[in-house]
Amino acid sequence: MGPLSDALIWVVVLLFAAAGITEWYGRRSGTDLMQQARVTATTAWVGFGLFWLNSVPFWWFEHQSFVEAFLALIGGPACFYAAYELYTGRTTLFVLSRAIAVMGFIYLPFETIPAITVGGLALPAPRQYLIEITTVITGWIISAAGYSPALVESPEGFMATYQWTLSDGHIYNVYIVLACTGLGSIAVFSGLIAAVRAPLRRKLRALAVAVPIIFVLNVFRTAFISIAAGNQLMHWFPDAVLFLFGETNPYRVSFLVSDRIISQLGAVVALMAITYLVARQLPELLTVLEDVLYLLTGEDHDLQAALELPREPVAEQPGAQQSD
């Protein structure tokens, strides 16, 4: 979204990490560092809220995603509320703060680090590797479905665009971008899993559930969108869709329906299902999820009872080591 947004989110992530380290060190060493950690985390939450509010125009006008624009719009006030709750005593929010730090360290290098040249050696941007790998796998799925669009260079300079030739001769390009890789969702789950206090083996088990499912669903989603848009399979209610998204190009209708409506709503359902599966492997995650629901609703929720999940693992070995 721009250099200023990139700088802001890096500062926010570093503040979250500093707060987490301060709280962890104080707890382990017996030193009273809670107030310092609380102030640092509170500042990070305020900055995080400003970041989300600043991103609303991007999601609404440039990305044309009403779902993501809405989430960013409510994310700002939710972060400010988290800052208030943490500062006034809800210490469980330190877990979510640590989680956001981990999410940032996973996601931001791919989002913000450009291609560089060191000693005459050109190093591509990290995002290029991930996007082009996703593009290749997406191409396998498209081919398996019986289609063969041309693979051409994207506006970013990557081999990550499937070019379709329609029956009327019109050329329609479907670009594979960072969002198609599932990196955002992978970063979210990795951060949450890393932040809770649980044995390492169960954390790894939870990652083994979340990461492959997210990646596989995303490449199938990307292939579905490419096929639907490249063949104009969902040219439904074009006037209404174009009006809703502020578009005038009728060739965009199938893309908007398949991606912005069907895929994004489906992603919400899929993420809820993955969260349930991960929570079965890592019940400690319930504390974080309950904090998120508290920020959204202002009320405490008992997910243990609602989802019929154990608060503690059922079959832990005696003396299992806890990791923070």
Side-chain angles (χ1 to χ4, degrees):
M1 291 177 284
L4 290 178
S5 292
D6 289 348
L8 174 60
I9 193 59
W10 269 113
V11 169
V12 166
V13 167
L14 290 172
L15 284 172
F16 275 127
I21 292 170
T22 303
E23 187 267 341
W24 173 84
Y25 179 77
R27 175 164 44 83
R28 281 301 181 95
S29 65
T31 308
D32 186 10
L33 298 175
M34 184 59 72
Q35 184 59 22
Q36 293 93 317
R38 195 189 306 275
V39 170
T40 304
T42 298
T43 304
W45 278 107
V46 171
F48 203 34
L50 294 174
F51 170 79
W52 285 118
L53 291 179
N54 179 65
S55 73
V56 172
F58 167 80
W59 296 118
W60 187 277
F61 296 109
E62 295 186 41
H63 201 60
Q64 294 179 313
S65 173
F66 298 150
V67 172
E68 288 166 307
F70 174 73
L71 292 175
L73 185 62
I74 65 174
C79 289
F80 299 148
Y81 187 43
Y84 169 78
E85 287 291 332
L86 178 58
Y87 190 76
T88 55
R90 194 175 181 95
T91 56
T92 54
L93 284 169
F94 275 115
V95 181
L96 186 55
S97 300
R98 293 200 302 269
I100 295 173
V102 177
M103 295 173 200
F105 288 131
I106 294 173
Y107 184 83
L108 290 180
F110 292 92
E111 180 64 45
T112 63
I113 295 178
I116 59 175
T117 301
V118 179
L121 178 64
L123 300 176
R127 65 191 290 120
Q128 180 174 351
Y129 288 110
L130 190 56
I131 288 173
E132 290 186 345
I133 289 171
T134 302
T135 301
V136 170
I137 298 174
T138 299
W140 295 342
I141 299 171
I142 293 173
S143 297
Y147 299 95
S148 54
L151 179 61
V152 300
E153 192 174 272
S154 72
E156 291 185 275
F158 310 154
M159 292 304 294
T161 298
Y162 284 107
Q163 188 173 86
W164 299 80
T165 302
L166 306 182
S167 58
D168 62 359
H170 181 82
I171 300 297
Y172 192 88
N173 293 324
V174 179
Y175 307 116
I176 309 300
V177 297
L178 191 61
C180 302
T181 67
L183 178 65
S185 298
I186 290 172
V188 168
F189 278 96
S190 298
L192 293 173
I193 291 168
V196 298
R197 301 174 63 188
L200 179 60
R201 66 178 176 278
R202 285 198 291 108
K203 289 187 177 186
L204 293 176
R205 206 159 61 219
L207 282 172
V209 170
V211 174
I213 293 176
I214 292 171
F215 185 77
V216 169
L217 288 179
N218 267 277
V219 292
F220 273 97
R221 176 182 68 91
T222 303
F224 159 70
I225 293 168
S226 186
I227 292 170
N231 293 277
Q232 300 290 288
L233 300 179
M234 296 185 174
H235 195 77
W236 304 334
F237 309 105
D239 293 337
V241 172
L242 292 174
F243 174 77
L244 179 63
F245 288 93
E247 280 276 359
T248 57
N249 183 357
Y251 290 104
R252 291 269 292 168
V253 172
S254 286
F255 173 80
L256 294 171
V257 172
S258 62
D259 180 33
R260 300 296 192 257
I261 298 175
I262 295 176
S263 292
Q264 290 196 2
L265 293 177
V268 173
V269 175
L271 289 175
M272 291 174 63
I274 295 169
T275 300
Y276 177 77
L277 294 176
V278 171
R280 290 191 65 85
Q281 302 296 325
L282 201 65
E284 292 85 352
L285 201 63
L286 294 175
T287 298
V288 185
L289 300 179
E290 287 167 352
D291 275 336
V292 172
L293 286 176
Y294 178 80
L295 294 176
L296 294 176
T297 66
E299 298 179 356
D300 285 306
H301 296 266
D302 186 355
L303 291 180
Q304 178 187 15
L307 300 178
E308 298 183 355
L309 292 173
R311 177 69 61 179
E312 298 294 338
V314 176
E316 272 306 308
Q317 296 297 322
Q321 295 295 313
Q322 298 286 317
S323 61
D324 292 339

